[in-house]
Amino acid sequence: MTIESPLEKSPVSLFTDASSRLEMALKYVNISEDALKRLKYPKASLSVSIPVRMDNGSLQVFQGYRVRYDDTRGPGKGGVRFHPNVSLDEVQSLAFWMTFKCALLNLPFGGAKGGITLNPKALSRQELERLSRGYIDAIADFIGPDIDILAPDVYTNSMIMGWMMDQYSIIQRQVSPAVVTGKPLMMGGSQGRNTATATGAYYVINTILPKFDQLPERTTVAIQGFGKVGAVLAELLCKAGYKVVAVSDSQGGIYAETGLDIPNIRRYKQQSQSIQELYCNDTVCDIVEHEIISNEDLLKLDVDVLIPAALENQITAANAEQIQAQYIFEVANGPTTSAADPILEDKGIYVFPDILVNAGGVTVSYFEWVQNRSGLYWTLEEVHQRLKERMVEETEQTWNVAQEFSIPMRTAAYVHGLHRLGEALDAKGTRDYYQNGNH
């Protein structure tokens, strides 16, 4: 059964490409036709206009979105991104991925996502606060601790999440910390949430590479995306003995064959950032001690491990043939197109999918939600231990599915998640149940 978007009929839409990954998985899982029909469409999609009074007195209107793709296993869960390329097609695709990510990690959530189309670096702190609160004003009836829970994503952070939680609480006239995760600690945030995506990816990498006898000290790594996730992961890998030879951000990258001093590079970026700004305007290209390369060059480096940790559609049919890495761990959402997958597979490259590798963020968001609702808060050590147990367990289960059916890890991840989604959807009743009259 072909799954296509009811909102975007273009064959090149991101959603069409994202949903095509299910086609392979359907061959290896027994799922009812009823469940498939329900997974074809998002449960609800919302587009809103957000008027913001700018610092100079002018009025600008921004376009915002929120999509709740599925809530069969629990309330929707997904981040909010601020980026110039945000569109309904992108947000719907991200909500679709979140649906399978939450099922894959066995979290009691469905999939959702949100975003606002803008360049956040062009706004002042006050303008960003007005925009963030305006977004909540526009979608307040669409979200809630038991309906749809927000979190940070690209170019959003704990400060912005705090504004959003506070605005929702104002609207509801009650403190509602569980509506947003990734908040500041003093507003009910969880220990370890800011670094959860990177830490979870680190656990996946350390679970997988020993299966190939790939030792850290003999492993070279290139990371595209030196932001709040990629930079943390780079330092974790560096401290564990991996040789990180290249990193990049939106402006370009640096490369050193003998390995980069990641802690010093991180300190450089942090120190050069103005404390008056929410976002870092500097780039790793400013570090001139190393060879300067482009983002495209980084993807093609002869390294053992390639980690795309930036945005979607970085590895495509156009450049997949030039990829030389043996292992790809997708930390970004959707960095590899479906057309690139068979090319990489033919080259013998192992791809470990985003819905598994970057699931640490939503997992600790789940922990934060649980802590908010119980009023009991965990230490950083407890969070890390629970995260490690969850990531290792689901990585091993996905690996076992891949071995059982001799299929790529991406397909195995969808099989694993689809099995749980199918069971939850079928529990509400199927055609066979009603036709057979069973009770």
Side-chain angles (χ1 to χ4, degrees), residues 136-408:
I136 297 302
D137 287 341
I139 70 169
D141 294 335
F142 197 76
I143 62 175
D146 296 304
I147 302 169
D148 186 355
I149 304 141
L150 280 58
D153 198 82
V154 175
Y155 287 134
T156 55
N157 54 26
S158 61
M159 174 70 78
I160 291 171
M161 293 302 106
W163 291 333
M164 290 184 176
M165 188 277 280
D166 183 59
Q167 190 65 23
Y168 183 83
S169 297
I170 291 171
I171 294 168
Q172 298 299 319
R173 294 187 180 275
Q174 62 181 19
V175 179
S176 304
V179 72
V180 172
T181 60
K183 307 177 294 294
L185 286 175
M186 294 302 102
M187 297 180 72
S190 173
Q191 295 281 354
R193 177 57 185 88
N194 285 345
T195 59
T197 303
T199 305
Y202 175 73
Y203 292 144
V204 173
I205 292 169
N206 276 350
T207 302
I208 290 294
L209 290 183
K211 299 180 185 298
F212 298 92
D213 296 322
Q214 190 75 42
L215 300 176
E217 58 270 20
R218 299 209 311 262
T219 303
T220 54
V221 181
I223 301 178
Q224 183 202 45
F226 200 69
K228 60 186 178 182
V229 176
V232 174
L233 179 56
E235 187 157 350
L236 287 172
L237 292 171
C238 185
K239 289 180 177 178
Y242 293 88
K243 186 189 292 184
V244 181
V245 298
V247 296
S248 69
D249 60 15
S250 59
Q251 302 302 312
I254 55 176
Y255 168 75
E257 185 177 356
T258 57
L260 296 168
D261 185 348
I262 296 299
N264 275 335
I265 294 173
R266 284 197 71 195
R267 277 193 292 274
Y268 171 86
K269 288 208 68 173
Q270 292 165 354
Q271 290 169 1
S272 63
Q273 177 180 352
S274 168
I275 60 173
Q276 300 299 319
E277 300 291 332
L278 272 178
Y279 299 103
C280 178
N281 293 316
D282 293 301
T283 165
V284 294
C285 287
D286 293 334
I287 305 172
V288 296
E289 292 87 349
H290 310 284
E291 179 183 346
I292 294 176
I293 60 173
S294 68
N295 267 296
E296 293 74 18
D297 292 335
L298 182 143
L299 294 173
K300 302 169 188 175
L301 289 174
D302 184 6
V303 293
D304 298 308
V305 173
L306 173 63
I307 300 176
L311 293 172
E312 303 92 3
N313 296 342
Q314 299 300 301
I315 302 174
T316 68
N319 65 1
E321 193 63 50
Q322 298 169 286
I323 302 297
Q324 299 186 69
Q326 186 64 47
Y327 312 98
I328 298 175
F329 290 88
E330 297 180 334
V331 171
N333 288 308
T336 309
T337 66
S338 59
D341 276 342
I343 300 173
L344 298 173
E345 187 177 354
D346 287 345
K347 287 172 62 69
I349 298 172
Y350 294 91
V351 180
F352 301 94
D354 48 0
I355 62 171
L356 172 64
V357 178
N358 70 19
V362 70
T363 301
V364 178
S365 277
Y366 164 57
F367 297 164
E368 182 175 330
W369 181 74
V370 168
Q371 292 170 84
N372 289 158
R373 296 173 72 88
S374 69
L376 299 173
Y377 288 84
W378 308 334
T379 65
L380 180 61
E381 292 72 22
E382 289 176 309
V383 170
H384 281 170
Q385 184 58 37
R386 292 170 188 265
L387 175 61
K388 183 176 182 179
E389 289 173 359
R390 184 71 63 116
M391 297 302 297
V392 171
E393 178 182 357
E394 299 306 333
T395 299
E396 292 287 7
Q397 289 199 38
T398 305
W399 175 264
N400 291 338
V401 171
Q403 299 307 299
E404 178 183 356
F405 296 110
S406 298
I407 54 178

Side-chain angles (χ1 to χ4, degrees), residues 65-67 86-95 113-115:
Y65 308 96
R66 188 71 186 176
V67 174
V86 165
S87 66
L88 184 58
D89 176 43
E90 179 187 53
V91 172
Q92 178 174 295
S93 303
L94 293 164
K113 208 74 176 186

Side-chain angles (χ1 to χ4, degrees), residues 427 429-430 432-439:
T430 65
D432 290 344
Y433 172 82
Y434 293 111
Q435 282 184 342
N436 296 332
N438 294 327
H439 299 284

